Amino acid sequence: MTTTEISLMAHLMRRAGMGATRDELEALVTQGYESVVDDLVHPERFSRGDPDIIHPYLHGPLPQEPSTDDNEDILLRYYRGIGAPGASSPGKWIFHMVNSKRPLKEKMGLFWHQVFACAPSKSAHPRTNRRQLEMFRRVGMADFRTILLELSRDPSMLFWLDNNENHKDEPNENYGRELLELFSMGVGNYTEEDVKSSAYAFTGWSFVQPAHGAVPYGKWATRFDFREADHDYGEKTFLGVTGPLDGTDVIDTVVDQPATARFIARHLYNFFVADEPPVAAWNEIPPLDPEAIDTLMAAYFESGGSIAHMLQVLFNSEFFKNARFAKVKSPTELVGGVLKLIGTYRQANPGIDHYAGATALMGQQLMAPLTVEGWQTGSGWINGGTLNERVNFAVEEVSDPDKPGIRAIIDRLGRRNGSTLTPEELVDGCLELVGPVEVEEDTRQELIAEAVADGNIIFNGNRAVTDERIVNMLQLIVSTREFQFG
Amino acid sequence: MPQPYALLRAGFPYLKTVGVKNVIDDPLDVAFGGDGRVYVLGSAPIRITNIDHEDLGTIGDRSFGVDYGSNGEAISVPEGELFMPVQVILDREDNLYVTDEACHTVSIFSKDGDFLGRWGEYGTEEGQLNRPSGLAFDADENLYVVDTMNHRVQQFTKGGHFLKGWGSFGNGEGEFNMPWGVAVDDDGDVYISDWRNDRVQKFTPDGDFIFEFGRTGTGRGEFVRPAGIAVDHDFDIYVCDWGNNRIQLFTPEGRYVQQFTGDATLSEPAIAATRTRLRTVRLRTMADLETEKMFRGPRSVRVDENGLMWVPDFESYRLQVYRKEPFHLEPHQLAPPLKAPSLQPN
């Protein structure tokens, strides 16, 4: 097993999930890269392990298949709305992202949450908003038609973009426009007449009025409702197609457009491969790697818009394999990766909300994107304040040698190098076990210079000293510029 | 009280809904004291009320500023505060005992709210606890504590002195997988809701296995993670079928009788609160009301001395109350036992 193989697998797992422990990486390398990718895009092969964020029996029918998963029910027991001690939805989501046996499914939830940004601040109806997240996780790797159809029937989105106010005699264009501009093709690929037709096509797409507000008994999640009497059945023309079109017809037309394939390909590239400029600039600034976009577009059309197929092509491509550390970690990726590294919260313990708070301080409050355009990614994640939060967070989290992941690193370093660890071995060993993290040579030399001051580490000496020196090195590594990249 | 020979079950109708949000928040469990006082364990953390919805104050403090261990466990919950409470029970002096899974303790409060002490320490040894949950007294007022993550039940004096215990991890007789609730009948026998095994087990006071019932599923007599459990003076068994959002009622032999899925109506304070919000009233005229009556995530069921069944409707800020209507029968008041079902009524 080579360092290159480990590095490549670590890259894959950082992008397709929240990273992996060293033991997990070694097992995955043994399994083989393409086989791992195949598993990632087939989450149904693994037990759920990622359940509860929104649970089916919060509202609606009783569960038909009781879970046999290792931790679903335990999460429900300990993290389900017990006021403060359990966890908020973002906290629970972070738990799932770190622990799920279906990491790409969780990551795709995060992806669609970014692309189809929908904040709860308007509706203040968390039960309904959580269902949207459940939907993203459920259909996140399906074909794009299915995804757009689910999105267009999602009460949270319908309310967020006012489609509940889209009546045949008083149309509201908000959803019909954003579906085209932000959710599929992008500006410049449709006309104002198409927007109007789209809006009329979605008239009557609404939701059932839920029973309550906050008082007296809390809120019930609601569901899609097609209000036939409020729907415009008249003839419309949309992107050259004419007829008594409804929302489904609009989506059928949208998903056939090359602009849609390009739009989704670029989003996937931006999220999984390398940072692109903000979405608003995509009309003016060409893709970083046009050939990669073409490849992903071809995958889109050859599979009927299957996102799973696009991801499989993406992860197996050379442009992906060569894009190590080409992305600034999002706050969620940074926090999730650190949790993977330190090995805590493998069980549902109190305090997971701390990590949701941490991502918010770094500029990404999960389930509360600031606008319909989502967050500014890439270098947009970094400013003086958020960088400070990112570094302080990581330094604090790796400071305890008794955290399982830190202890595992210390033990590995001891086993690997016998009784003595030179400063160079300390730096290189820590860099490898933290990521591997690839740092510039100048950075490496600075780390070595720090380590040289205290000489070799003797493992049969004072354990407290050994622990402290390794922890100090880990803290330096997570403070580097390079650690901010994934 | 001896077990009745048989019951004529006239019915078990819904009686009323007690509480409203901001009074009954996140109700986990209830316990009953003198003067009709009902102690509701939840976010308050303990709210005192009664069947007439009166707000009679709170007991204890919620803990927020706790220290976490290296794996996130709450290791420092100040005395008198509760962080992850699970169940509450009263002794004959109306002192309250509350399990807290975060700090592995049982806290004790007087009915007036004074903190009287706390016992329990984390560990796997005899007398130590790992996430204690269910609570039940026996006739001698010794306290059974379900030791969830140690997969066992232990009995202590009220002061926390270990007396006995049984159980280990597994799914065989006398084994458990994260048990939750415990109840004691008038003969002293012990019932444990074996949460992750989706069953109920009954034991003698010495821990000898008597019988079990239930299996995983959504059908009658099946469970998805049974939580709280209760036994009334008729020896009927009530199981909070948490994952199925229902309460199931069983005979003393463990035969399924009926289920309760919720029948809530607006309580008096809920009506008052709603009527102050004109938009809420309007939206309610437009709403689908089908689901609002149903239980959401109940974690406990308790039966008071009057035979009323109280269900803390955890996610709906209310208690749903049902009234059992039984008639005790002597052997001469019904036909002899039959070996098989029959289609001939007489």
Side-chain angles (χ1 to χ4, degrees):
Chain A
M1 189 174 301
T2 66
T3 301
T4 303
E5 289 174 312
I6 289 286
S7 290
L8 182 60
M9 190 59 71
H11 169 59
L12 174 64
M13 297 312 293
R14 275 196 305 272
R15 298 294 170 82
M18 287 292 152
T21 67
R22 183 70 182 200
D23 288 343
E24 289 168 344
L25 287 176
E26 289 175 357
L28 292 169
V29 167
T30 301
Q31 180 183 340
Y33 185 90
E34 291 189 3
S35 170
V36 171
V37 170
D38 200 52
D39 276 350
L40 286 168
V41 299
H42 290 97
E44 70 281 1
R45 294 174 181 170
F46 300 88
S47 64
R48 291 168 61 182
D50 55 359
D52 106 289
I53 298 181
I54 316 78
H55 198 264
Y57 45 83
L58 282 176
H59 171 94
L62 296 173
Q64 296 302 305
E65 297 178 7
S67 169
T68 55
D69 176 75
D70 287 344
N71 59 20
E72 172 179 0
D73 47 358
I74 297 173
L75 293 179
L76 280 165
R77 176 169 177 171
Y78 292 115
Y79 278 175
R80 183 176 173 188
I82 189 177
S88 66
S89 289
K92 283 182 280 190
W93 193 11
I94 288 172
F95 184 96
H96 288 300
M97 285 191 261
V98 171
N99 291 299
S100 175
K101 296 164 188 167
R102 303 169 166 185
L104 183 56
K105 181 177 168 182
E106 293 298 333
K107 206 66 181 282
M108 287 308 292
L110 188 60
F111 172 80
W112 293 119
H113 182 49
Q114 160 75 15
V115 176
F116 301 145
C118 180
S121 53
K122 180 177 176 181
S123 67
H125 208 273
R127 286 180 186 270
T128 297
N129 297 326
R130 289 198 297 265
R131 289 206 154 194
Q132 182 188 69
L133 183 56
E134 180 187 33
M135 180 268 289
F136 288 159
R137 296 159 76 243
R138 177 166 46 83
V139 302
M141 284 192 270
D143 63 275
F144 194 51
R145 179 184 183 276
T146 297
I147 295 169
L148 282 186
L149 206 51
E150 291 270 356
L151 183 75
S152 302
R153 292 172 171 168
D154 177 67
S156 201
M157 180 57 76
L158 292 171
F159 186 71
W160 172 240
L161 292 180
D162 306 316
N163 210 65
N164 57 316
E165 302 286 359
N166 186 16
H167 311 290
K168 68 177 181 183
D169 55 354
E170 192 178 350
N172 183 308
E173 294 180 357
N174 204 3
Y175 183 73
R177 178 183 299 278
E178 300 300 12
L179 173 71
L180 310 183
E181 179 179 332
L182 293 174
F183 300 162
S184 59
M185 295 188 291
V187 290
N189 295 293
Y190 52 87
T191 66
E192 279 301 303
E193 284 305 307
D194 292 325
V195 170
K196 287 179 182 173
S197 294
S198 173
Y200 274 108
F202 281 102
T203 50
W205 289 46
S206 188
F207 53 85
V208 174
Q209 175 60 50
H212 288 299
V215 173
Y217 292 143
K219 298 170 179 175
W220 272 256
T222 186
R223 63 184 184 278
F224 174 71
D225 184 28
F226 176 64
R227 302 189 170 191
E228 195 173 335
D230 205 15
H231 178 67
D232 183 298
Y233 284 93
E235 190 169 276
K236 317 163 187 73
T237 297
F238 177 75
L239 293 175
V241 178
T242 300
L245 309 177
D246 70 1
T248 306
D249 298 315
V250 166
I251 289 170
D252 284 342
T253 306
V254 161
V255 297
D256 284 342
Q257 305 301 311
T260 298
R262 185 180 304 112
F263 192 78
I264 293 306
R266 203 163 177 186
H267 263 301
L268 289 172
Y269 185 93
N270 179 53
F271 191 83
F272 287 104
V273 183
D275 288 326
E276 286 267 10
V279 178
W282 286 4
N283 240 14
E284 288 82 38
I285 303 176
L288 204 61
D289 183 347
E291 286 184 21
I293 300 302
D294 288 345
T295 301
L296 294 174
M297 287 178 66
Y300 177 93
F301 282 117
E302 72 195 15
S303 65
S306 166
I307 301 300
H309 180 67
M310 293 178 80
L311 288 168
Q312 190 154 23
V313 169
L314 184 153
F315 289 133
N316 283 322
S317 71
E318 290 305 309
F319 62 76
F320 173 77
K321 294 176 182 176
N322 293 329
R324 291 203 298 274
F325 304 104
K327 277 181 55 63
V328 177
K329 293 172 185 168
S330 71
T332 304
E333 289 171 322
L334 182 84
V335 168
V338 167
L339 277 169
K340 272 283 189 189
L341 175 67
I342 63 179
T344 57
Y345 286 96
R346 294 301 184 268
Q347 291 291 324
N349 290 309
I352 191 70
D353 266 359
H354 166 70
Y355 299 94
T359 69
L361 288 172
M362 296 173 199
Q364 189 175 34
Q365 186 174 350
L366 289 173
M367 302 188 76
L370 294 175
T371 73
V372 70
E373 295 180 8
W375 293 281
Q376 296 298 313
T377 59
S379 58
W381 291 122
I382 304 293
N383 60 42
T386 59
L387 182 59
N388 204 37
E389 291 291 344
R390 292 164 73 106
V391 171
N392 287 345
F393 169 82
V395 167
E396 173 64 24
E397 291 296 323
V398 302
S399 66
D400 181 353
D402 288 327
K403 288 183 177 176
I406 305 301
R407 177 58 58 198
I409 289 174
I410 294 171
D411 290 345
R412 269 185 179 263
L413 287 171
R415 281 203 306 273
R416 180 183 301 179
N417 297 88
S419 59
T420 303
L421 203 60
T422 67
E424 289 83 358
E425 289 169 339
L426 171 65
V427 170
D428 292 339
C430 286
L431 284 170
E432 183 174 349
L433 295 176
V434 167
V437 177
E438 296 170 13
V439 298
E440 294 179 1
E441 185 56 25
D442 286 352
T443 305
R444 180 173 172 272
Q445 290 303 325
E446 286 178 23
L447 294 172
I448 291 172
E450 287 289 335
V452 163
D454 292 317
N456 292 347
I457 289 180
I458 312 297
F459 273 97
N460 56 4
N462 186 331
R463 175 173 158 167
V465 172
T466 306
D467 286 356
E468 183 180 358
R469 288 203 53 199
I470 294 174
V471 162
N472 286 345
M473 181 51 60
L474 297 176
Q475 289 179 310
L476 288 171
I477 289 171
V478 301
S479 304
T480 61
R481 173 184 173 280
E482 289 87 339
F483 188 75
Q484 300 303 320
F485 292 85
Chain B
M1 202 175 291
Q3 180 177 344
Y5 176 75
L7 293 180
L8 173 60
R9 299 177 185 275
F12 211 138
Y14 163 78
L15 180 62
K16 70 186 300 184
T17 296
V18 173
V20 65
K21 184 173 167 56
N22 298 328
V23 179
I24 304 296
D25 283 347
D26 303 325
L28 295 157
D29 193 20
V30 292
F32 313 106
D35 301 326
R37 286 155 65 108
V38 178
Y39 298 85
V40 185
L41 181 64
S43 296
I46 301 169
R47 173 76 64 180
I48 311 170
T49 185
N50 57 25
I51 192 81
D52 296 319
H53 318 280
E54 289 184 276
D55 183 358
L56 302 174
T58 63
I59 291 176
D61 292 305
R62 280 300 293 273
S63 192
F64 296 100
V66 299
D67 297 328
Y68 297 112
S70 62
N71 198 26
E73 299 95 341
I75 59 174
S76 175
V77 177
E79 291 194 334
E81 296 185 6
L82 299 169
F83 190 68
M84 290 179 72
V86 187
Q87 289 211 338
V88 59
I89 194 168
L90 268 65
D91 66 13
R92 291 182 189 130
E93 286 77 46
D94 276 7
N95 295 319
L96 289 80
Y97 296 73
V98 185
T99 43
D100 191 329
E101 290 196 66
C103 51
H104 316 288
T105 57
V106 175
S107 290
I108 308 166
F109 300 88
S110 77
K111 65 179 180 181
D112 299 317
D114 298 323
F115 175 68
L116 301 180
R118 177 169 84 174
W119 50 263
E121 64 173 3
Y122 171 78
T124 59
E125 300 297 317
E126 195 173 74
Q128 295 180 318
L129 299 168
N130 187 358
R131 295 202 161 179
S133 51
L135 288 171
F137 278 116
D138 69 8
D140 297 325
E141 288 218 299
N142 292 315
L143 189 61
Y144 286 103
V145 180
V146 174
D147 189 7
T148 297
M149 294 305 284
N150 285 327
H151 313 288
R152 65 188 178 188
V153 60
Q154 299 194 82
Q155 193 184 43
F156 300 84
T157 65
K158 292 198 290 186
H161 176 69
F162 173 77
L163 296 174
K164 64 186 177 188
W166 67 85
S168 59
F169 178 77
N171 56 17
E173 294 180 357
E175 296 176 331
F176 303 107
N177 189 349
M178 293 184 66
W180 184 320
V182 59
V184 178
D185 68 23
D186 287 349
D187 286 346
D189 290 335
V190 182
Y191 304 72
I192 308 284
S193 49
D194 191 2
W195 189 65
R196 272 199 130 203
N197 282 327
D198 291 327
R199 65 179 178 178
V200 169
Q201 295 191 70
K202 180 179 178 180
F203 301 90
T204 69
D206 295 324
D208 294 326
F209 175 84
I210 300 175
F211 68 70
E212 66 175 288
F213 60 89
R215 62 180 178 182
T216 302
T218 59
R220 294 171 177 177
E222 298 176 333
F223 302 118
V224 175
R225 304 302 186 252
I229 187 169
V231 182
D232 67 14
H233 293 309
D234 297 329
F235 290 67
D236 276 349
I237 306 163
Y238 303 71
V239 183
C240 177
D241 188 6
W242 174 68
N244 284 326
N245 286 320
R246 64 183 177 182
I247 307 297
Q248 293 196 66
L249 177 65
F250 298 87
T251 66
E253 297 76 32
R255 183 182 64 77
Y256 172 86
V257 178
Q258 69 177 102
Q259 65 175 341
F260 305 86
T261 57
D263 296 277
T265 49
L266 292 182
S267 67
E268 293 158 26
I271 293 169
T274 301
R275 296 193 67 168
T276 64
R277 293 167 169 80
L278 303 187
R279 184 174 171 84
T280 300
V281 174
R282 169 56 66 190
L283 291 176
R284 192 175 170 81
T285 68
M286 303 158 58
D288 178 347
L289 299 175
E290 177 63 25
T291 55
E292 75 163 340
K293 66 182 181 182
M294 301 172 74
F295 297 131
R296 290 198 291 186
R299 293 168 176 235
S300 179
V301 56
R302 299 283 190 178
V303 182
D304 70 14
E305 286 300 310
N306 299 315
L308 299 182
M309 178 181 76
W310 293 70
V311 183
D313 198 356
F314 176 65
E315 294 180 17
S316 297
Y317 312 98
R318 63 194 179 193
L319 310 171
Q320 295 200 44
V321 188
Y322 291 76
R323 186 182 66 244
K324 184 178 179 181
E325 295 179 344
F327 293 90
H328 290 187
L329 301 176
E330 299 298 329
H332 68 276
Q333 293 177 298
L334 71 169
L338 299 172
K339 289 184 178 178
S342 172
L343 295 178
Q344 291 182 318
N346 298 308

